[in-house]
Structures are given as C-alpha cells and as structure tokens.
Amino acid sequence: AGAAAPAEPGVEVELSQLSKPDPLRRTVTADSVASSVDTPHGRTASQKPLIQRQDTSSQGAVPRKHQGGCFGGCGGPEGACDMRGGVYQWSRQFLLLLRRDSVKWVREIPVKGLDFISISIIAAVLGLVKRGDNVNLQGALASVYISYMFLGVLSAVWGVQLISKDLRLSQREAGSSVSSSALFLSVTGLNSCVDVLLRCLMFTVLYHPIVGLKMPWADFFNGTFGVGWSCSGLGYLAGAALPENTSQVFAVAVTFLMGGVLNGVSPTLASIRDAGNNVYLWLMSPSYNRWAAQAMVIKEYEHSGEANKLVEKLELTVQLGYPENGFLAGILFLYVSGAVFRLIALFAYHRRMRG
C-alpha cells in the first residue's frame, strides 16, 4: 500500500522529452550579444521597425492580405472591398455624428424655445396686420408674400448661424480623418428635418387661421416648408462658401431682394409681360417668393367659392398673370432649389474643411 503508483505512459514520454536537451535552443553568450549588436544600421535584431517596406516589382506594390483572405477583411475583389470598407466607415462616422448632434440639440432646447416663440410672435403680428386685406386674390397674394419674405430672411440667417457656429471644431475634426460630408450632412440634416420643420409648423398654425385663408392648412404648410427649405439651403451655402464676417450679410441681402423686391407682386407678372420687360422677368426667375406666391394664390383660387369663380379667374390670369395649373411648378422650384443649394454647399464645405 505504501508503494508509489506507477506513472502513466503519456506522462513518462513528456518527462523524457523535457529532460532531453533541445538542440535548437540558443545559449546567450557574450559573443552572441556582440554579433547581434553589430547589425548593418547599428540596430539590434529586436529593434526592427514595426512597418517594414515591402519589395515591389515593376508592376507596383502588392498590398498585404489580411487573415480573412482578402484586402481589408472583405470577401471580394480589392476595389469592391475598399469601397465597402469606405462606405461602412462613412456610415459609422455619420451615425456617431448624428447621435452627438442630437444630444447637443436636446441640450439647446431653451435656446430653441426662444426661436419658436419668436417665430410664433411674428406670425401672430403679421396675421393681425394682414387680416383685413384677405378679401380677394390680390389681398391673399399680399398676405402670402409678406409672410414668406420674413420667413425666408429668418431661415437664411438661422442657416448661416448653424454652419458658422461649429466651423472651427469641424475643421479640426476633418483634419483628424473625419469625413467632411458626414459632418455636413449630420448637422444640416438634423436642422432641416427638425428645426426648419418645427418653425414652419409654429408659423402656419397661427398665421393661417388669423388671416383666414380659404386654402387648406396642409397646402399652406406645404408652401411654407418649401420656403424654409429653400432659404435655409441658401443660408448653408453662404455660411460654407463665404467668410464669417460677410456670410450673414450676404444671406440677408439676397433673401430680402428675392422676397421683397423680385417677387412678382408689385409690379405684377401681367404688367411686366405687357410692358415687354423680359429682363425683369429673367431677374425674377430665381426668386423663391415669386414661385411660392404663385403656388399659394393658385391654391387660394381653387378653394374659393363658385359664385365669383369667373371674376377670380380673370383676376388670377389677367391681372396677376398666373396660370391656373402653375401650382406644381411653384412647389417644385422651392424644393429643387433647396436641394441644389445644399449640394453646392456640400462641395463648398468640403473645400473649406480641406483648406
């Protein structure tokens, strides 16, 4: 019972292998240390660079494959892998930036509340002033264009402030390999889908019933959001392409010129065509208020009573110069112009980040 238990065969083999000297094991001596120090560039074998330059053939450098079997850990050709990896990296950056901007928006709710209160006060005051003018199509035209002029100027100013506020921070982030397009789309996308939408909502909720427009509220909101969309895009463009000390002045000047002067209200489009002033008509073609007023007056005409339909038709086509089927053209101009302004602003923003 006191005898030791016999060892298992596997254990004996392992112990015997450990007891044998390893012929490949190197013993560190003074000669070996001296030979390792004496390298061609005065650097020991343990001090090799982390990234070694690969020998290339005449056809160019061959990038190293990852363990996944392809370039960049993807399963397809090299170009497809690079593209998919770039799209994934851009999407990840965009979502992170969008999340950060959402948190910042929530923290700025008190300031946003002041903006919403100010736009509501402007809507209420303008509605009370223009309420007595809404007796015919010309009165409705005056009520629409004056409100859109104020809304356009404010939307452009808010757009410039949005781009200029974090411009230096965005330049530093773009210098740290953050995509400039992701930076631009995250901040402008959130602003367009939330701020511009809520401001137009607050404006129309008060202005439409106070003035007493005959068109449905949804049609009036459609035109109002189109004005905010177009003018905020102009503000993004001014903030991205111009210096900070001149961008806001430029945005205010252009939106006021297009909304208050080149609007087709005074003089009307009919009187300008009768005078043969084609230059004036050409100058009014890029005006947001010229197309917004046309769309809203046509909707007001469509929802007017049948008793004065003939009189209002003559007023619409002969006195004001608007076609009966011109609503879609006016609305499309607002949304397409806003998209074009944003696209040009994206390229200007990218160049500014690189500079």
Side-chain angles (χ1 to χ4, degrees):
E8 298 180 1
V11 177
E12 290 179 355
V13 173
E14 292 179 0
L15 292 175
S16 62
Q17 288 179 356
L18 290 174
S19 62
K20 293 180 181 181
D22 187 2
L24 299 179
R25 181 180 299 169
R26 295 179 58 187
T27 58
V28 180
T29 62
D31 295 334
S32 64
V33 172
S35 63
S36 65
V37 173
D38 250 348
T39 53
H41 298 286
R43 142 187 330 135
T44 62
S46 63
Q47 292 176 336
K48 292 181 180 179
L50 296 176
I51 301 177
Q52 295 183 351
R53 189 174 181 180
Q54 297 178 348
D55 294 331
T56 57
S57 61
S58 59
Q59 295 179 355
V62 179
R64 181 184 176 186
K65 285 188 178 183
H66 292 267
Q67 294 181 357
C70 193
F71 307 93
C74 183
E78 179 181 357
C81 292
D82 292 342
M83 182 180 66
R84 274 177 276 186
V87 170
Y88 171 77
Q89 185 70 15
W90 186 92
S91 304
R92 188 167 178 266
Q93 288 183 359
F94 175 74
L95 292 176
L96 289 175
L97 291 170
L98 189 63
R99 180 181 178 184
R100 183 193 66 178
D101 293 334
S102 301
V103 173
K104 290 170 60 178
W105 192 93
V106 173
R107 292 176 180 175
E108 294 176 356
I109 283 181
V111 180
K112 302 289 184 183
L114 293 177
D115 290 343
F116 298 148
I117 292 174
S118 64
I119 198 71
S120 301
I121 293 174
I122 292 173
V125 172
L126 286 178
L128 293 174
V129 171
K130 305 302 294 184
R131 185 174 185 177
D133 297 339
N134 190 25
V135 293
N136 51 19
L137 291 182
Q138 291 184 352
L141 175 62
S143 302
V144 167
Y145 102 87
I146 194 67
S147 63
Y148 284 172
M149 181 186 68
F150 279 96
L151 183 64
V153 172
L154 290 175
S155 299
V157 170
W158 283 323
V160 172
Q161 291 177 351
L162 178 74
I163 298 296
S164 303
K165 180 176 59 175
D166 295 330
L167 190 60
R168 299 189 185 277
L169 175 63
S170 299
Q171 287 176 337
R172 289 196 296 268
E173 291 177 341
S176 303
S177 300
V178 179
S179 174
S180 58
S181 59
L183 285 167
F184 179 83
L185 293 176
S186 64
V187 64
T188 58
L190 185 65
N191 181 262
S192 300
C193 297
V194 179
D195 291 58
V196 176
L197 182 67
L198 291 178
R199 286 164 184 159
C200 295
L201 182 64
M202 296 294 294
F203 185 87
T204 54
V205 164
L206 292 175
Y207 191 80
H208 182 270
I210 292 176
V211 174
L213 296 172
K214 299 182 181 66
M215 74 179 85
W217 174 84
D219 292 331
F220 184 64
F221 175 78
N222 188 12
T224 306
F225 183 71
V227 170
W229 170 265
S230 179
C231 294
S232 61
L234 179 62
Y236 301 155
L237 177 58
L242 299 177
E244 297 181 31
N245 55 349
T246 58
S247 57
Q248 190 164 337
V249 176
F250 174 82
V252 171
V254 171
T255 50
F256 181 80
L257 179 66
M258 295 299 175
V261 180
L262 303 175
N263 49 32
V265 177
S266 180
T268 62
L269 292 176
S271 60
I272 295 172
R273 292 192 185 100
D274 293 340
N277 195 346
N278 295 325
V279 177
Y280 201 173
L281 290 174
W282 179 79
L283 289 175
M284 284 192 302
S285 58
S287 172
Y288 71 94
N289 215 357
R290 175 251 184 274
W291 297 100
Q294 171 180 309
M296 294 298 98
V297 170
I298 291 173
K299 275 297 175 183
E300 189 74 4
Y301 161 75
E302 291 178 357
H303 292 85
S304 60
E306 295 293 335
N308 298 325
K309 203 68 173 181
L310 180 60
V311 176
E312 290 185 347
K313 182 177 180 180
L314 294 175
E315 185 181 5
L316 177 71
T317 57
V318 177
Q319 297 182 13
L320 299 180
Y322 294 135
E324 291 187 66
N325 57 352
F327 171 78
L328 184 60
I331 291 296
L332 283 179
F333 175 86
L334 296 176
Y335 288 98
V336 171
S337 63
V340 171
F341 287 148
R342 281 163 173 79
L343 183 61
I344 301 174
L346 174 60
F347 287 102
Y349 190 85
H350 177 68
R351 292 195 60 182
R352 193 158 186 176
M353 292 300 104
R354 292 180 60 185

